[in-house]
Amino acid sequence: MQPFSIFELAKQALSKHRGWQPAWRDAAPKSGYDIVIVGGGGHGLATAFYLAKVHGLTRIAVVEKGWIGGGNAGRNTTIIRSNYGLAGNEPFYEWSMKLWEGLEQALNYNAMVSQRGVLNLYHSDAQRDGYARRGNAMRLHGVDAELLDRARLRQMVPFLDYDNARFPIMGGLYQARGGTARHDAVVWGYARAASALGVDIIQNCEVLGFLRDQSGAVCGVETARGPIAAGKVGIAVAGHSSQVAQLAGIRLPIESHVLQAFVSEGLKPVIPGVITFGAGHFYISQSNKGGLVFGGDIDGYNSYAQRGNLPTAEDVCEGGMALMPMIGRARILRSWGGIMDMTMDGSPIIDRSPVDGLYLNAGWCYGGFKATPASGWCFAHLLATDAAHEVAAAYRLDRFRTGHLIDEKGVGAQPNLH
Amino acid sequence: MHIPCPHCGPRDSSEFVYRGDATPRRPAEVEAEAVYAYVYLRDNPAGMIREHWYHAQGCRNWIVVTRNTVTHEIAESALACGTSA
Amino acid sequence: MKPPGKLADTNRARLPEGGLIDRSRPINFTFDGKAMTGFAGDTLASALVANAVRLVGRSFKYHRPRGILTAGADEPNALVTLRTGARAEPNTPATTIPLFEGLAAQSQNRWPSLGFDIMAANQLFAPLFVAGFYYKTFMWPAKFWERLYEPAIRRAAGLGALSGLPDPDSYDRDHAFCDLLIIGGGASGIAAALAAARLGLRVIIATDDTMLGGALLSSTRDIADQPAPYWAAAAQRELAAFPNVTMLLRTSIFGIYDGQTYGGVERVSDHLPVPAAGMPRQRLWKIVAKRAIMATGAIERPMMFGNNDRPGVMMASAVSTYLNRYAAKPGARAVITTACDSGWACAADLVNRGIDVCAIVDTRPAAQNCAQQSPQFAPIRNSVRVFHHAAITTVRGRQVTGVTVRDESGQFHVLDCDLVAMSGGWNPAIGLASHLGGKPVWSAAIESFVMGCAPPGLVAAGAANGEFTTRAALASGHNAALAVGADLGFDSVLPAPPMASEELSGVGAAWSNPWSSGKTFVDFQHDVTADDIGLAVREGYRSIEHLKRYTTLGMATDQGRISQLHGHAMLADHTGRSIAEAGTIRARPPYHPVAIGVMAGHHRGEHFRPARLTPTHGWAQDRGAAFVDAGQWKRAQWFALPQDKGWQDTVIREVTATRTGVGICDISTLGKIDVQGPDAGQLLDRLYINTMSSLPINKARYGVMLREDGFVMDDGTVTRFADDHFFVTATTANAARVMQHIDFARQVLWPELDVQATSVTENWATFAVAGPHSRALLMLAFPHIDLSNAAMPYMGAGQYAWGTRPLRLYRLSFSGELAFEVSVPATHGLALWLHLMEAGNTYGVVPYGTEALGVMRIEKGHSAGNELNGQTTAADLGLGRMMSTRKDFIGRVMAARPGLVDPARPALVGLIPCHAAETIRAGAHLLPLNAAPVAANDQGYVTSAAYSPTLGHSIALALLAHGPNRHGEVVVVHDPVRGRDITATVTSPVFLDPAGERLRG
């Protein structure tokens, strides 16, 4: 792998940057692999990277329907955090955070992991106590969490509407280690590092079905570019998990929903970290390019269209104006919609599927981006060892049958409410 | 998006509460596996789906809407209770 | 602000005559503090051109000096911060701002000044700052990213700055419905509007501009034998007279959504110094249109050559617009570079206005050059030097002082000029058509992309449909309207559309320039160069989306409308594909940037969400009550008296007065649902875990509902007033969801049941009257009602009259005291409240708020919102034995899953601090004594906590693993986010009167 550094950059500049190599090999499919990962998003590529790096496997392919990072990896609001309340979730997201913290060095790719803090505001005593419950749970897991009062908030984020608010801001739960990362760079960084370790990244290669052996076990994938044999197949196609699982005859506890996000024109720095509103659906951060990146609730109906509708866009902006009326004259430059695998309890699945040889990484709801490193790590662990990684042990597919649900919001089997 | 309410006519989707796939039927038999499938498993089609919407800010009818989840085109709608409007 | 000089001084580059400006109305404005003058009808950009201002902004990455490139909304360079203070509006294209008196604009992204920008030093590092350079460095040491590198990058990035002050203006929303929406007010839009109006369709025509006309306003062409701008003005007058036509000027249609809904923003007041009193700054239009005509025109493409970003390089169409519409001279000596006939039209405009055109540099060989053959351009050919099959290699000067041209034979020529007008062909403005996912398709005929699969009901017309000439546009709009009319049943014979004079088409393209020398900008604002495209391809970013994301091509405020197609063409070339194969980006809303404020409308501050008020709200306000938000409801939290020392004191007083005397509380926010019909009991049996059909008339019963997944959904009471009439209450928070749930059960699950249900939450006012004197109070208030234990036992209920008003009484107790709930129709709620307060005078009645209510229910161990958090089972809350085994009910089967019946699940207990002075807080976690504070030892958490005035110390409810078996055990209450650990004794959750003697009293 061609190293990335300021020195290499200077060296290449002398030759007018004609010496740079492709970041990853655009591989053609071979006849077979030990492991084939379906889905060239962040999770799939991270899985391939850790399979190679941690487990020393080499015959690995990632097959991608379009171009890598073209799904939700490129359609999110780039937030990273590990501020979960339930024991099934918190160790996993904290492991992800730890991987984020060393990601650039592990990948030799600057994904701009930026720990500028995540602040969740509360507006009532009950909400404060709920955040205290969560913050205490985080602390018990060894994760940083602070409960800030209004006076601290006024120092930290003076531009919030403290005085005219319909739902006055009382304080916030703060995770200083939370922040953002450059989403596309995460995909490219994993792709480049995985490719350098011998992983084949095969783009424009839609999976059309699964190959089965006599026992019925999955032994490869049928693709638009021909059959590819595989010892094991892992699915990491959040947004379309139901569609791909259906090719193996599996029904999942998942619905696909669209989540819109928005970015403003570039502005000089004004918002320090990530801020979420507690009395409406709105969260915001500012990118390094200066755009305000913000979003809110899912549109709320099953959708495979990567676009949303006006009522949700209006609702998001209402939240923004209620929280920080200084953004009224900032302009929305662009919006996008990502298709979310919304599960029945709002938490993901990393598990064997009911079909031998086929493994599932799915159900990331609107929280998949922050999970990318740990999702890859734990899925690689499962694929390589056939055992769940300890931090992902709760993400079993059968928890819906057994009732060991991981329902942070407590809204039950209603995906659009999570 | 407009939901054609059989009772109120086409109304903005923001007047409605969405529930999801209308195909799974609550099993009459009290059998755990069947109830599990009813509560949790979904076909989640990319294409036509029959789904439940509730006209919360209107006539308070539950409606079965047939809609394409890729194009959001709506083919038909009917009252969920089966009677006509 | 210094007074401007004489008009002539500040309008140095104004032509002596012509233009659609009103020279009798001079307008003063400032740019970077310098006073200048323009005229009514100017934009800020045209006024700057007329004032010979060429340097207007700095680019994003290299901070290169930039001038005005276009005359339209897609301007990438001339972005300014408009206005000052709280109304400062960063990144506003100078080309879109109608000039108004006192306008103040500042240049952006420069320090200390536009002329001398320290960050321009970035250009020295340009060899390093190639596309994606930041992905390759700033990684060592890791800690330096947040501390050093990133802050520096963030400060350097961004364009303009927000003021940081709340937006002082207001915004409006409106809905509209029409047969035909016409998007765009140019030739095809006007022709369509006239035809549709005459057919009788309900028409809305929206244009970004201050008047109809579009490109016609800059045209020297004739339509129907009159100058095009005059024809447009006449058409506008004619359309205004149609009652079936709505004209939305200064209105941008920014998005297409499902259900043929179009989003638009009307800039109601942006052309004024401040909005008039009571007027919004902008209005969000949501237009539902049966049909739409996209008459959005076309966008001219630039040419690729070295330093093509220098101030003084301008689009040919923009040059013509400044000359013809604004009578402003963008330069004194021009070179035209073009790949199509449009450059020649610009040359003609320049020559007609007496401006020296030094040369036309045309990429086409003479033989393929229509303009070369056209008699129309004969005078140009005779007076202007024409280079065929030639290219500009580079621009000379920091602002244009000349160009180097490579001619057909390979000779280089240096030409002096101060203006370069360029035209690289045209792209139909089809961005809106992709909002529902439609993919643009390549048209070889016009060398650009056109609309592919159209959104439902929409057609493209005129230049947006690749019909570039005025004559074709007029016919196209007219015919599109006729087709819509015929489709909707509006048939009549109309006169033919007006004719425009002949013109050439403007088709042509030059995607790259092998002779270019120096930085060749593809994306002007984001400083993406032709070399960056090549680099991205070398590094494997070969899909159109990778290219965009890696180089940021097309992500600037113009969303790539000016020049991303050049980037895509270069990508296609580098990867050996056709442009059609490489494809292009599907645009996403908004088409033009939209203020966050206008999307939010009035929903900010206090008006963010409606507030629901109880019947006694005004009374409580007069009493100085504090209010708390419960969903959308405002509820009185407590009623402080002057002698109270803080809210805690007030709550203690309210609780004590209630427990020892009588208190009254407005509980009207509880959800109330009337359930009637022969099968009502059967329905309720299926909804509740316990049996309701056996409830005697005039009796109430506590009930618990599960979700189908087996977890508790809500609790409340059910009262039976008749065989077929039940009355159900739900918690305030869950009222809407429970109503929806009941409707689902009766309409979807069991439509065969003969039962109706309706929400009556707003219809009944309900007050809890609690305390040992509550019966006495009510006997005084309603002497005609027998409230004895025999007549009205605990959990009894009845319907009565209070004068002519219906009255309902329930003997229910949330407080644990002898208590009643009294209910009248909501319109009489206040009267009842006053009546009860008066009757209670004798007994020293106090009103109490939600805080005292909460304290008393914790003392009694009743579950409320904190316990009914959607994660708890009935058994968790100590209600498992209520679950009937003799019937089916919603949630029954799933409630039996192993995860829900695990005896280790945290279940409800009480907690009392070991040291009475210590306070337990909700949200704290519970650990075994002497256990390390780690997750493995986490055994539960505190759900609700309060100071109990009755017991004189802190109490709490908690969910604790194996809790019901651990009464008497001491546990650690761990609350690191708020304070130190304390210890507490586990108890029964019922702290007060466990036998329930008080409430039966």
Side-chain angles (χ1 to χ4, degrees), chain B residues 2, chain C residues 175-179 204 259-262 286-290:
Chain B
H2 301 106
Chain C
H175 294 261
F177 302 84
C178 61
D179 296 319
I204 295 176
Q260 286 160 245
T261 303
Y262 296 78
K286 289 178 274 186
I287 302 170
V288 178
K290 287 182 189 158

Side-chain angles (χ1 to χ4, degrees), chain A residues 17 105 114-115 318 332 400, chain C residues 127 139 150 173 594 897:
Chain A
H17 298 280
Q105 288 68 34
S114 172
Q115 295 178 292
E318 289 168 6
I332 301 169
F400 302 95
Chain C
M139 283 179 272
E150 187 181 51
R173 280 181 186 164
V594 171
R897 287 178 289 171

Side-chain angles (χ1 to χ4, degrees), chain C residues 398-440:
Chain C
R398 202 166 149 271
Q399 297 182 23
V400 176
T401 59
V403 293
T404 304
V405 174
R406 184 191 184 276
D407 70 15
E408 202 163 13
S409 65
Q411 297 290 307
F412 291 89
H413 307 261
V414 174
L415 307 175
D416 289 338
C417 64
D418 63 353
L419 175 67
V420 177
M422 55 182 174
S423 182
W426 295 80
N427 293 330
I430 55 168
L432 282 170
S434 291
H435 285 186
L436 296 187
K439 218 173 179 169

Side-chain angles (χ1 to χ4, degrees), chain C residues 698-699 775 785-794 796-798 800 811:
Chain C
N698 288 338
K699 281 283 196 179
R775 181 185 283 128
I785 301 176
D786 181 359
L787 290 170
S788 67
N789 259 338
M792 175 62 77
Y794 177 58
Y800 309 92
R811 185 151 165 210

Side-chain angles (χ1 to χ4, degrees), chain C residues 880-945:
Chain C
R881 274 172 305 180
M882 283 174 63
M883 290 171 71
S884 169
T885 52
R886 290 195 302 274
K887 61 169 181 125
D888 186 24
F889 55 85
I890 288 177
R892 180 184 176 194
V893 175
M894 289 291 97
R897 287 178 289 171
L900 280 78
V901 298
D902 184 345
R905 284 183 66 88
L908 194 68
V909 295
L911 293 175
I912 295 174
C914 295
H915 304 282
E918 289 180 326
T919 303
I920 303 174
R921 295 189 188 89
H925 284 241
L926 303 177
L927 308 173
L929 210 52
N930 301 319
V934 294
N937 294 323
D938 189 2
Q939 296 194 322
Y941 66 98
V942 179
T943 53
S944 303

Side-chain angles (χ1 to χ4, degrees), chain A residues 235 237-243 245 250-257 302-304 339-350 360-365 397 399-400 413-416 418, chain B residues 21 36-37 39-45 49:
Chain A
I235 302 176
V237 295
H240 293 80
S241 298
S242 301
Q243 302 298 298
I250 301 169
R251 290 174 87 207
L252 295 175
I254 287 175
E255 289 181 2
S256 294
H257 284 262
N302 286 27
S303 175
Y304 284 93
I339 303 306
M340 310 288 121
D341 264 13
M342 297 300 296
T343 60
M344 290 282 173
D345 68 353
S347 295
I349 298 159
I350 301 178
L360 281 176
N361 174 319
W364 291 98
C365 300
L397 178 59
R399 69 177 186 270
F400 302 95
Q414 185 66 44
N416 62 340
H418 283 290
Chain B
D21 197 342
Y36 156 71
V39 175
Y40 287 107
L41 299 184
R42 296 291 178 266
D43 287 339
N44 194 20
I49 184 174

Side-chain angles (χ1 to χ4, degrees), chain A residues 10 50 63 95 111 121 127 206 211 230 246 275 314-315 410:
Chain A
Y50 292 118
V63 295
W95 178 236
L121 299 171
Q127 225 174 3
E206 184 174 6
L211 306 175
Q246 193 197 31
I275 302 171
E314 293 170 65
D315 183 74

